[in-house]
Amino acid sequence: MPRRHRIDAADKALTNARLITVAEFAELARLSRRQIDRLRKRRPPGFPPEYELGSGSGNPRRRAPRFKLTEVENWIGTRAAW
């Protein structure tokens, strides 16, 4: 299971961070959503950590992972050398 970071209201570092969805991550990386999901499961070195926001729908099984835009951009930059 991928390691997820919980976001709480007291986390000042994330207050100013722009968080993006998995779909936005896929679009920025020019990969399919399925490829991103595979990477999330495999968790290669340097892959950005996920931040769990929850679904807000009251369903505890539904998750809403987010990624920091800056971490995603850094990861995409490292992929250019692959």
Side-chain angles (χ1 to χ4, degrees):
M1 170 95 31
R3 194 174 113 223
R4 296 194 174 145
H5 301 277
R6 282 225 159 257
I7 295 177
D8 57 6
D11 192 348
K12 300 290 184 193
L14 290 174
T15 304
N16 294 327
R18 170 125 160 41
L19 299 175
I20 61 172
T21 64
V22 176
E24 291 169 324
F25 186 165
E27 186 177 333
L28 283 172
R30 295 185 178 171
L31 298 171
S32 71
R33 167 69 192 254
R34 188 172 189 177
Q35 287 172 306
I36 296 296
D37 287 339
R38 285 183 190 137
L39 288 166
R40 288 174 56 213
K41 186 175 181 178
R42 200 172 70 218
R43 190 65 53 193
F47 191 78
E50 296 177 20
Y51 299 90
E52 186 63 53
L53 295 182
S55 68
S57 67
N59 183 349
R61 292 178 180 231
R62 187 168 177 192
R63 306 217 186 282
R66 298 291 191 270
F67 296 87
K68 284 185 185 178
L69 178 60
T70 54
E71 293 173 348
V72 170
E73 290 171 336
N74 290 339
W75 180 79
I76 291 170
T78 64
R79 288 189 70 241
W82 290 3

